Amino acid sequence: MILDRFRLTDRAAIVTGAGRGIGAATAVALAQAGADVLISARSDDQLRKVAREIEDAGRRAVVVPADLTDLTAAAGLAASAMDAFGRIDVVVNNVGGTMPRAFLDTTDEFLAKAFHFNVGTAHALTRAAVPHMTEGSVVNISSVMGRITGRGFLAYGTTKAALAHYTRLAALDLAPRVRVNAIAVGSVATFALEIVTSDEGLRTTMENNTPLRRIGDPEDIAATVLYLASPAGAFVTGRVLEVDGGTDQPTLDLGLPDL
């Protein structure tokens, strides 16, 4: 049965930024497909809620509250997964993000921190996990802003583009044993977008500027992660899948003026 290729029975996964949004939806999806899941984020309360959903799917959940801007903590998730599960099959580097800023407000320090959070964290965990993966899949969560342009997104877009190319380079380095792919995510209804989704006017504008005329749902991304992580995606590596509703331009203008 073709659906069997989407199963992850008795596999072990790590998902960062798993307290809510895309990370939480992904962790639950992997559990529903049969995987035990280590989840990490800052908030213990949020992680506990996700852990209950994993356990409701009949799988084991390991909760590791951590500030993943600390690269030692990020890398340490691999050892925690090995202690708990004795194996690592899937790594989902979801944690990341950078607030929009005008060009002249984007300091050197701000840009460096964006690289650290969006690329450094993914590398730290992946590098720590790979020696424990006899085979497996790494999925990085990038963004549509890594390939399109919009005012205010210099730091965010640049670092997400870097993560996308990191994916291609790491895939070649780690082939054929470990596959590495990414998802270029469009506008998705997560906490980061709450200021938009809670405003009917802004939400309508964003929907109208998306060819599919809707904002994405975290499960749209979780389903794509499952494809890439499972045997269904076994012949895919070094690719950045665009899951963005058809977006080719920013769906919301931040209104930043000319210099």
Side-chain angles (χ1 to χ4, degrees):
M1 292 290 291
I2 191 66
L3 290 180
D4 290 340
R5 298 194 66 173
F6 291 85
R7 299 295 304 170
L8 289 169
T9 306
D10 297 330
R11 308 284 179 89
I14 301 171
V15 182
T16 64
R20 57 190 175 188
I22 291 170
T26 294
V28 173
L30 296 177
Q32 290 173 345
D36 297 323
V37 191
L38 181 148
I39 52 177
S40 185
R42 285 188 176 91
S43 172
D44 182 74
D45 289 345
Q46 291 174 351
L47 290 172
R48 296 292 172 187
K49 179 179 178 182
V50 178
R52 288 193 292 271
E53 294 185 63
I54 292 169
E55 290 163 355
D56 287 344
R59 304 309 307 183
R60 295 175 60 197
V62 172
V63 172
V64 182
D67 178 359
L68 297 177
T69 60
D70 179 346
L71 300 189
T72 300
L77 298 181
S80 297
M82 288 301 296
D83 288 344
F85 306 135
R87 61 187 295 165
I88 300 171
D89 302 283
V90 177
V91 173
V92 182
N93 290 306
N94 168 67
V95 74
T98 305
M99 291 299 293
R101 277 195 181 185
F103 182 91
L104 292 180
D105 294 329
T106 303
T107 62
D108 298 343
E109 180 184 25
F110 186 82
L111 185 60
K113 285 183 176 179
F115 268 97
H116 178 94
F117 192 33
N118 289 283
V119 182
T121 299
H123 179 63
L125 174 54
T126 301
R127 183 170 178 268
V130 162
H132 304 290
M133 301 172 77
T134 55
E135 60 180 12
S137 173
V138 175
V139 182
N140 298 319
I141 303 302
S142 184
S143 169
V144 65
M145 290 310 303
R147 66 173 181 84
I148 66 175
T149 59
R151 281 188 174 177
F153 293 100
L154 179 75
Y156 181 72
T158 298
T159 56
K160 287 300 188 182
L163 182 61
H165 199 50
Y166 171 92
T167 296
R168 300 181 187 100
L169 295 167
L172 188 59
D173 283 344
L174 300 178
R177 188 161 59 88
V178 176
R179 297 182 296 109
V180 187
N181 293 286
I183 303 171
V185 175
S187 300
V188 175
T190 65
F191 176 78
L193 210 63
E194 189 173 31
I195 192 171
V196 173
T197 56
S198 62
D199 183 299
E200 185 175 350
L202 292 176
R203 183 185 183 101
T204 298
T205 296
M206 184 168 280
E207 290 171 339
N208 288 341
N209 287 334
T210 304
L212 288 185
R213 298 295 187 269
R214 71 175 178 91
I215 294 173
D217 185 89
E219 288 191 350
D220 293 323
I221 311 306
T224 311
V225 172
L226 177 58
Y227 164 67
L228 292 172
S230 70
F235 201 49
V236 183
T237 196
R239 296 295 175 253
V240 181
L241 301 192
E242 297 170 4
V243 185
D244 55 20
T247 301
D248 280 319
Q249 60 185 7
T251 54
L252 197 64
D253 185 348
L254 300 180
L256 296 177
D258 293 347
L259 293 179

